[in-house]
Amino acid sequence: MDESYSSLLAAGIEKKYRQLEMEIMEDVVRRIRKAGTITDSADWQINRLRILGTSAREIEDMLRKAVRGNEEEVRRLYAEVIEREYTRDKELYEKAGKDFIPYEQNPELQQITDALVDQSTAELYNITKSAGFMIDMGGSKGKVFTPLADVYNSFLDDAITGMVNGAYDYNTLVRRMVSRMTGSGLRTDHAFKTENGGDWGIDYASGWHNRIDVAARRALLTGFNQLAGTVTDMNAQRLGTNLFEVSWHPGARPSHTVWQGRIYTKEELASKCGLGTGPGLCGWSCHHNYYSFVPGVSQRNWSDAWLKEMNARENTPRRFRGREYTTYQATQKQRQMETALRARREQVQLLRHAEADPHDITTARCKYQAQLDEYKRFSKTMGLPEQMERVYTGRTGGRIAPSQKVYQEYLHQLDIKRTDAILKNEAKTISFRGKLTCDVQPINVKDFTFNEAHINAEREHGVTRAEAERYIQEATFKAERWNGRFINYYGPNGSVYVDTQLKEIKTAFKADEYGEKIIRMLEVLDDGTN
């Protein structure tokens, strides 16, 4: 089905189901917050009924609210399909000298549409009735689909019991639950059926289940495809043709690029394009349509030469962060990044809702900004338009992205962690002693004594106090010993060793006196930061 229908759904039904996902996750956090003041397991047993006891009724209320008005919204969307797919061939009827029957005067098509509206509305209801989360149960079980009732009455109960027994604190529990819920997203145990009776939307072997907003979108797109196919077949019969043109779109999966944009008979749509099968034309997540083609009247939209050129262009990979992506692979990567961005936005909102540790909230906000920057860089490199409507859930209590000042400090700390890892790995290899870090934070040595006798008279290093202080300020890394009493600073021009307890600059020497180990450490850091 055409990509534009996905945009229609993203603004309507999909958005509603994402809001349902957020409401349920906020409700879980609200109950954890209520339990956060309980510090005794006996008190938890007393308060358990008050905090968890009404969950079944409240879940039902949230689900009922989510599906309220679905039939009207679904009917409006199907009317859009009729407008686009049925009336688009009106001009073709006129050119072929055939009478076009308006939808309002076509009871057969009206009956088919009504049946599909009822079918889609029922699917949407069934999706919500079988909702749950993929919860990591640990050990050999791994992630298991857990219905909402079990999330509230079993998993959440056990988690809060662990908190009041002292196994972990409130903030740890909030981080853990928020991470698990947003990492999973609200999912459904409702399976869809293919035309030949197979299940899709659930991989029973791996336990994988559709996210609820994806399931809602696919439920409607399946109906749209059925209606569009019926309309096209009806028009073809009346126009007296057995030929059809399949649409073309960029970023099609490899198995679809071989047949998109070409002309086929109805039989070839099935035998060559896989019409009626899950992986084929108009199947799972397929954005293709097919339209009536009347020889001598219709004109092809895409020539064979143009298709050959576009296929070659789309199969020419582009490089990003050391990996190559075709256009199809890039669009798949982009969808993954959008899902991760949406989960991070939800995480920020839930941590706020839980009144979690401000540091945890700030970290989540900075991670969101980092992911967003990466998404923008990737999309630009791949020549793909950004699709932020797939990211926004429609409910944001305050700004998600951090201030530039906070974000730059976060990036600085990330850089320190990265270079520290390089530093420590090399130090282990060459047996370089001390607690090492690139987060130098030079100390103020204004009140420290300068051991002139040792540095210059005895060792003849030829370093002045001013030079020693400059070496500390421009140090690339430092090594601490004896719990921070002794700090050695190493930089491009020289090194300084200080005793913080005696407040003394013990020694200082220039870079031309560096031994092999110091030179190696500075080289590794230089390579790692370039």
Side-chain angles (χ1 to χ4, degrees):
M1 179 57 70
D2 191 284
E3 181 69 34
S4 61
Y5 287 108
S6 292
S7 298
L8 282 173
L9 292 175
I13 293 289
E14 252 185 285
K15 183 177 179 181
K16 181 191 285 190
Y17 277 75
R18 287 175 185 168
Q19 288 175 344
L20 169 64
E21 173 181 84
M22 198 64 198
E23 283 179 19
I24 288 173
M25 291 192 291
E26 284 180 349
D27 186 67
V28 171
V29 167
R30 178 176 61 82
R31 294 172 197 271
I32 294 174
R33 213 167 96 197
K34 279 185 178 181
T37 57
I38 298 172
T39 58
D40 182 85
S41 56
D43 286 344
W44 167 239
Q45 293 307 316
I46 294 170
N47 284 279
R48 183 184 179 283
L49 186 62
R50 175 177 65 85
I51 295 175
L52 296 181
T54 59
S55 58
R57 176 175 54 80
E58 292 181 10
I59 292 169
E60 184 63 32
D61 287 345
M62 281 188 280
L63 297 182
R64 193 179 295 113
K65 177 184 173 185
V67 299
R68 191 179 300 145
N70 267 3
E71 184 172 350
E72 292 81 0
E73 176 71 7
V74 169
R75 193 168 291 280
R76 184 187 69 78
L77 290 167
Y78 272 95
E80 182 79 25
V81 176
I82 289 293
E83 177 64 27
R84 294 187 185 195
E85 306 298 331
Y86 185 59
T87 58
R88 75 183 302 279
D89 279 345
K90 183 178 180 180
E91 185 180 350
L92 194 56
Y93 273 85
E94 293 171 353
K95 287 182 178 179
K98 305 284 185 178
D99 292 330
F100 177 79
I101 303 173
Y103 175 72
E104 296 76 15
Q105 299 172 23
N106 191 331
E108 181 185 357
L109 187 54
Q110 290 175 20
Q111 188 176 6
I112 292 169
T113 303
D114 287 342
L116 286 170
V117 168
D118 291 342
Q119 173 187 303
S120 294
T121 303
E123 289 270 36
L124 291 176
Y125 177 71
N126 289 333
I127 285 167
T128 58
K129 290 294 286 183
S130 57
F133 289 95
M134 295 296 292
I135 300 292
D136 190 346
M137 295 301 183
S140 60
K141 290 184 178 180
K143 290 185 178 181
V144 177
F145 180 79
T146 310
L148 283 180
D150 292 343
V151 170
Y152 278 82
N153 297 323
S154 176
F155 186 80
L156 185 55
D157 183 17
D158 291 344
I160 294 174
T161 299
M163 179 184 68
V164 299
N165 283 337
Y168 34 76
D169 61 16
Y170 171 73
N171 276 304
T172 301
L173 174 58
V174 167
R175 283 198 308 270
R176 185 176 298 175
M177 281 302 296
V178 166
S179 177
R180 283 173 172 170
M181 288 191 297
T182 56
S184 161
L186 191 61
R187 295 179 180 262
T188 180
D189 201 32
H190 176 67
F192 298 94
K193 298 291 182 181
T194 62
E195 290 185 13
N196 50 15
D199 289 336
W200 65 283
I202 298 178
D203 183 342
Y204 291 104
S206 68
W208 178 85
H209 292 62
N210 263 323
R211 288 184 74 119
I212 196 166
D213 57 322
V214 173
R217 180 174 77 243
R218 287 179 174 172
L220 287 171
L221 287 178
T222 298
F224 293 173
N225 275 328
Q226 287 178 274
L227 180 57
T230 299
V231 164
T232 299
D233 291 345
M234 190 178 289
N235 285 339
Q237 186 177 11
R238 288 178 178 158
L239 289 166
T241 184
N242 190 42
L243 293 177
F244 301 87
E245 183 176 36
V246 175
S247 63
W248 180 94
H249 70 79
R253 72 192 77 167
S255 59
H256 288 200
T257 58
V258 295
W259 46 251
Q260 67 172 349
R262 303 181 188 279
I263 309 296
Y264 301 96
T265 65
K266 186 60 188 293
E267 295 74 25
E268 287 173 331
L269 289 177
S271 63
K272 293 186 177 181
C273 306
L275 181 65
T277 66
L281 174 62
C282 297
W284 309 321
S285 302
C286 177
H287 297 306
H288 290 100
N289 284 340
Y290 61 99
Y291 302 107
S292 304
F293 187 90
V294 180
V297 177
S298 302
Q299 290 187 344
R300 287 187 65 179
N301 287 295
W302 305 278
S303 69
D304 288 343
W306 187 89
L307 290 171
K308 183 178 180 180
E309 179 186 344
M310 289 307 298
N311 285 342
R313 185 182 303 176
E314 294 214 331
N315 285 322
T316 301
R318 299 189 185 193
R319 181 175 289 273
F320 184 82
R321 302 240 185 264
R323 289 192 60 184
E324 292 187 337
Y325 299 85
T326 63
T327 301
Y328 170 71
Q329 290 168 336
T331 57
Q332 295 302 295
K333 176 68 174 177
Q334 196 183 47
R335 296 295 84 78
Q336 293 170 7
M337 297 173 90
E338 288 154 359
T339 299
L341 278 166
R342 190 166 71 247
R344 188 70 70 186
R345 288 178 68 87
E346 292 173 340
Q347 186 181 50
V348 172
Q349 294 175 74
L350 291 171
L351 289 172
R352 282 174 173 165
H353 191 68
E355 297 179 359
D357 186 321
H359 175 72
D360 291 339
I361 298 173
T362 299
T363 300
R365 294 178 70 187
C366 289
K367 285 182 177 180
Y368 169 76
Q369 185 64 55
Q371 289 175 247
L372 181 60
D373 289 348
E374 186 77 348
Y375 173 76
K376 289 177 178 293
R377 282 191 292 267
F378 180 81
S379 299
K380 184 177 180 180
T381 302
M382 293 297 131
L384 299 174
E386 296 172 17
Q387 298 192 45
M388 290 302 292
E389 70 276 6
R390 294 177 178 268
V391 174
Y392 299 136
T393 58
R395 297 181 61 205
T396 304
R399 178 184 167 92
I400 298 294
S403 68
Q404 270 301 304
K405 182 179 179 181
V406 169
Y407 183 51
Q408 290 306 315
E409 177 58 26
Y410 168 79
L411 292 179
H412 175 63
Q413 292 302 320
L414 275 186
D415 190 54
I416 287 173
K417 287 181 181 178
R418 183 179 66 82
T419 51
D420 275 4
I422 296 171
L423 191 69
K424 291 169 184 175
N425 184 61
E426 184 62 26
K428 187 177 179 180
T429 303
I430 63 175
S431 300
F432 195 101
R433 295 188 306 114
K435 182 181 178 182
L436 306 176
T437 180
C438 293
D439 189 14
V440 176
Q441 298 183 19
I443 61 174
N444 187 346
V445 294
K446 180 181 178 182
D447 298 328
F448 282 40
T449 59
F450 182 74
N451 196 333
E452 175 74 31
H454 173 75
I455 297 170
N456 293 319
E458 182 183 335
R459 303 306 297 266
E460 299 181 345
H461 290 314
V463 176
T464 66
R465 181 186 181 99
E467 286 175 320
E469 291 185 10
R470 192 177 79 245
Y471 294 165
I472 292 174
Q473 292 300 318
E474 60 189 26
T476 305
F477 73 98
K478 68 180 180 181
E480 293 184 3
R481 299 188 178 92
W482 284 34
N483 294 321
R485 175 180 172 178
F486 300 109
I487 305 176
N488 300 354
Y489 293 93
Y490 302 94
N493 297 308
S495 178
V496 178
Y497 296 1
V498 301
D499 183 335
T500 60
Q501 185 173 312
L502 297 179
K503 291 191 172 183
E504 178 189 30
I505 299 177
K506 290 173 62 63
T507 193
F509 50 94
K510 296 179 180 179
D512 56 14
E513 294 188 63
Y514 281 169
E516 290 184 4
K517 289 186 178 181
I518 298 175
I519 293 172
R520 178 58 187 158
M521 295 294 280
L522 290 170
E523 285 177 345
V524 166
L525 285 176
D526 188 52
D527 291 342
T529 54
N530 290 330

